[in-house]
Amino acid sequence: MKKKFWAGILAASFLLSGCKEEIAIQKPPLVKVQQIKFSNAAQVENFSGVVKGRYETNLSFQVGGKIISRDVQAGSFVKAGEILMTIDPKDIVEQSHSADAQVASARAQLELAKSNLDRYTELFKSEAIAAVVLDQYKTQFDAAQAAYDAAVAQARQSQNALGYTTLTANADGVISEIAAEVGQVVAAGQTVLKLVQTNEFEVVVDIPENKISAVQIGQSVTINFWATKDVVSGSVREISPMADLASRTFTVKISLPEARNISLGMTANVSMRDEISPNAIILPLSAIYQTGDAAQVWLVEDGKVSLKKVEVTAFDDNNVRVHGLGAGDIVVVAGVQKLRDGQEVRTN
């Protein structure tokens, strides 16, 4: 009898333990949630930049020839009108002499044509020749006049070319690059020097493609210079219309109206305040439940979850900005792929 009693007790205990395991398995899952709060804060982004001149000019000769002198070095500061390089003018001088000879020849032809025209004009007045003969000499005179004008223009061009044998600075600045040396033969238009004007500086930064949407023309920024410890204000002047194919970054140029004690090539830290729009909602990227092209989040209400469609406005590292939620909404921010509509959950 006792054996039957203890057997019944053991059977009952096994049944109770099985029920406990079943109850534990059916307990609603625990999820991590975040309550929606609107934010009007501003986020500060920092980028590395380099000081450059706003105006950089590639200098070249307007005529070709052999370089016979270079009067500057890389890093030389120059004034507007200062001679930088010279090419051998001998060929240009010979061309000028040839052009002068062409002018003298054309002048002689013009004087002969004018003399013939005057003589045949008198004969026509005395009715010694027909009008058609006089017209021929008028045509010859007009042709001689045109040839003379062309020769004079060519001579002036040759004289101008003599002045092009010396390369001068077009503005105050610094020589940042030398692309040709003495003894080298260069063609007209070939870059031989690069001049960076020092009257206006700018800072150039590369902005990642996921940050460029927050940068606007005219936006105020703060610039810190590592070498001088100076802090100045600047404004975004230009944004590249397309990203660099290799780095996938956009080049942004920032003007420096307050620049002092700044040299070309200095490194700078650019701080940009990204003003978040009023009522902006920031969630972890893990809160987004993507189905096709629609972005959704799981809302917890009365212990159950339901999907809510949202509009994603920006990505920021591991966070995302969305619209479409209300203050006080409770959003699941972890484990969203394991939930189903209407499922009961526990919140942390």
Side-chain angles (χ1 to χ4, degrees), residues 1 11 16 33 61 64-65 73 84-85 87 91 95 129 137 167 197 206 220 223 247 289-290 292 320 333 348:
M1 187 71 178
L16 288 173
V33 297
F61 289 99
Q73 306 292 332
L84 309 177
M85 270 188 181
I87 62 175
D91 291 340
Q95 292 175 8
I129 61 172
Y137 283 95
L167 183 64
Q197 297 185 27
D206 294 323
S220 296
I223 303 169
S247 64
Y289 182 78
Q290 189 80 22
V320 62
V333 296
N348 58 347

Side-chain angles (χ1 to χ4, degrees), residues 48 61-62 102 185 231 263 280 306 319:
S48 296
F61 289 99
Q62 292 183 247
Q102 291 292 332
V185 177
V231 180
S263 300
S306 60
N319 295 326

Side-chain angles (χ1 to χ4, degrees), residues 13 22 35 38 54 64 109 162 188 247 260 269-270 293 341:
S13 64
E22 183 177 356
Q35 188 172 18
F38 291 131
R54 177 172 179 177
Q109 294 295 326
L162 282 174
S247 64
R260 296 186 183 90
N269 179 74
V270 179
D293 296 331
D341 196 30

Side-chain angles (χ1 to χ4, degrees), residues 41-196:
Q43 184 177 0
V44 177
E45 297 284 356
N46 294 292
F47 304 98
S48 296
V50 178
V51 177
K52 294 186 177 181
R54 177 172 179 177
Y55 301 103
E56 296 185 357
T57 307
N58 293 325
L59 301 180
S60 60
F61 289 99
Q62 292 183 247
V63 294
K66 181 180 179 180
I67 299 175
I68 59 174
S69 69
R70 174 166 64 84
D71 303 317
V72 292
Q73 306 292 332
S76 297
F77 286 89
V78 297
K79 297 291 185 180
E82 184 176 337
I83 295 177
L84 309 177
M85 270 188 181
T86 305
I87 62 175
D88 192 342
K90 287 188 295 185
D91 291 340
I92 307 300
V93 171
E94 293 300 325
Q95 292 175 8
S96 179
H97 290 166
S98 176
D100 292 340
Q102 291 292 332
V103 171
S105 176
R107 183 184 297 111
Q109 294 295 326
L110 177 60
E111 291 175 352
L112 177 60
K114 186 177 184 308
S115 176
N116 289 336
L117 178 60
D118 293 341
R119 185 167 61 254
Y120 278 89
T121 299
E122 294 299 327
L123 291 174
F124 176 74
K125 290 179 180 179
S126 62
E127 298 182 356
I129 61 172
V132 67
V133 177
L134 180 62
D135 291 340
Q136 292 177 356
Y137 283 95
K138 285 183 178 179
T139 302
Q140 292 177 5
F141 173 78
D142 293 340
Q145 182 68 58
Y148 174 75
D149 293 340
V152 170
Q154 183 66 36
R156 289 174 179 171
Q157 186 176 2
S158 298
Q159 291 171 0
N160 292 337
L162 282 174
Y164 299 152
T165 57
T166 57
L167 183 64
T168 59
N170 63 311
D172 295 350
V174 61
I175 301 299
S176 63
E177 182 180 336
I178 296 176
E181 292 294 343
V182 173
Q184 183 175 343
V185 177
V186 295
Q190 178 181 340
T191 299
V192 294
L193 297 171
K194 180 175 286 188
L195 174 68
V196 180

Side-chain angles (χ1 to χ4, degrees), residues 289-308:
Y289 182 78
Q290 189 80 22
T291 56
D293 296 331
Q296 304 175 86
V297 296
W298 289 103
L299 295 184
V300 179
E301 186 175 2
D302 298 330
K304 296 183 178 181
V305 294
S306 60
L307 282 172
K308 172 73 173 180

Side-chain angles (χ1 to χ4, degrees), residues 221-240:
V221 301
T222 301
I223 303 169
N224 298 271
F225 293 98
W226 177 82
T228 63
K229 310 302 180 184
D230 290 339
V231 180
V232 301
S233 297
S235 61
V236 176
R237 180 181 67 82
E238 180 181 310
I239 302 174
S240 174

Side-chain angles (χ1 to χ4, degrees), residues 223-277:
I223 303 169
N224 298 271
F225 293 98
W226 177 82
T228 63
K229 310 302 180 184
D230 290 339
V231 180
V232 301
S233 297
S235 61
V236 176
R237 180 181 67 82
E238 180 181 310
I239 302 174
S240 174
M242 64 179 294
D244 181 83
L245 295 178
S247 64
R248 306 309 306 166
T249 58
F250 289 80
T251 300
V252 175
K253 297 180 179 180
I254 301 168
S255 61
L256 295 173
E258 302 177 5
R260 296 186 183 90
N261 302 322
I262 296 174
S263 300
L264 293 170
M266 278 187 173
T267 56
N269 179 74
V270 179
S271 300
M272 297 184 178
R273 292 177 61 86
D274 181 8
E275 299 294 340
I276 301 175
S277 59

